[in-house]
Amino acid sequence: MSLAIRVIPCLDVDGGRVVKGVNFENLRDAGDPVELAHRYNSAGADELTFLDVTASTAERETTYDVVTKTASEVFIPLTVGGGVRSEDDVDRLLKVGADKASINTAAVARPAAINEIVARFGNQVLVLSLDARRSEQTPSGFEVTTHGGRRGTGIDALDWCREASERGVGEILLNSIDADGTKEGFDTEMIAAVRAVTRVPLIASGGAGKPEHFPPAIDAGADAVLAASMFHFGPVDMIARVKEAIRAAGHPVR
């Protein structure tokens, strides 16, 4: 029996407000993170992801006060990322109410951070957030980026998924920069490519625009599906509509 597919709204937070753009650029305001967290908790979300999208670029910590307020509104697992660099950062996030921590830029800069965090807290608390884009510079055609998608690394995304999996990361949040905010569907080719090199649970992100976009991502290998725009700006029952589309396609859903 396969595990139920998780549906996860994402709160991209900048300056204490939820924002959303296209291809990680031209961000527009989408509301208050605490209010949105409350709404999604009530609407049947399975988990919630909170990403401080400018923490790494600004070289600052995650906004812990906003995380604390958000955590107080949700009774579903909360993953927090942005500015996470060390096991001490993870410890602090867990103490203010996060259930999992997401690491991206710092792990690329120093992969041993994955091993250190997993050794202290277990792999169930650590999510690798991977912002990937199509590139002719890498063998697979997919390149790892850092700093909120602003910097290319030349690192092959599939090689990085393999390495992070071997180091013990508990989940991979795969963000397609090319699909992000386009509402034209998930990058199923990228999802399938990552699924082929790791058995770690995979969360697909980037490109969702309507409920029927979700089953193809699951068919390609995703264990969970994440979206932002269509939940923030869509009708309040959008999570229920997405779950119904997944169920109708024959996948187990919570």
Side-chain angles (χ1 to χ4, degrees), residues 88-117:
D88 289 336
D89 293 334
V90 175
D91 184 52
R92 191 169 169 191
L93 283 175
L94 297 177
K95 284 176 177 169
V96 299
D99 298 282
K100 297 186 250 186
S102 168
I103 191 169
N104 180 350
T105 298
V108 174
R110 199 175 68 86
I114 294 173
N115 303 69
E116 293 161 5
I117 292 166

Side-chain angles (χ1 to χ4, degrees), residues 149-208:
R150 291 173 180 83
R151 297 187 195 174
T153 63
I155 298 170
D156 190 293
L158 301 191
D159 291 343
W160 179 225
C161 286
R162 283 192 198 94
E163 180 178 349
S165 301
E166 290 166 2
R167 288 179 179 275
V169 71
E171 284 185 295
I172 295 173
L173 169 55
L174 180 64
N175 309 301
S176 168
I177 293 177
D178 301 301
D180 174 70
T182 63
K183 302 183 184 177
E184 294 175 0
F186 290 92
D187 189 335
T188 54
E189 185 184 352
M190 182 188 287
I191 295 166
V194 171
R195 172 45 74 220
V197 300
T198 179
R199 301 316 305 162
V200 168
L202 185 59
I203 306 165
S205 169

Side-chain angles (χ1 to χ4, degrees), residues 1-69:
M1 175 66 182
S2 56
L3 293 173
I5 299 299
R6 291 167 289 147
V7 176
I8 308 173
C10 183
L11 305 176
D12 294 316
V13 179
D14 181 15
R17 299 287 292 179
V18 176
V19 294
K20 191 64 198 116
V22 177
N23 310 128
F24 284 34
E25 296 179 344
N26 301 317
L27 303 180
R28 63 170 168 148
D29 189 272
D32 176 71
V34 180
E35 290 175 9
L36 284 171
H38 179 81
R39 184 173 111 194
Y40 295 141
N41 185 81
S42 302
D46 298 308
E47 296 187 13
L48 190 64
T49 294
F50 178 114
L51 299 177
D52 189 325
V53 295
T54 54
S56 290
T57 304
E59 297 185 346
R60 60 169 172 76
E61 297 179 326
T62 299
T63 44
Y64 289 97
D65 56 330
V66 184
V67 174
T68 304
K69 292 172 186 169

Side-chain angles (χ1 to χ4, degrees), residues 200-219:
V200 168
L202 185 59
I203 306 165
S205 169
K210 49 189 177 182
E212 49 266 42
H213 283 155
F214 288 79
I218 300 160
D219 293 335

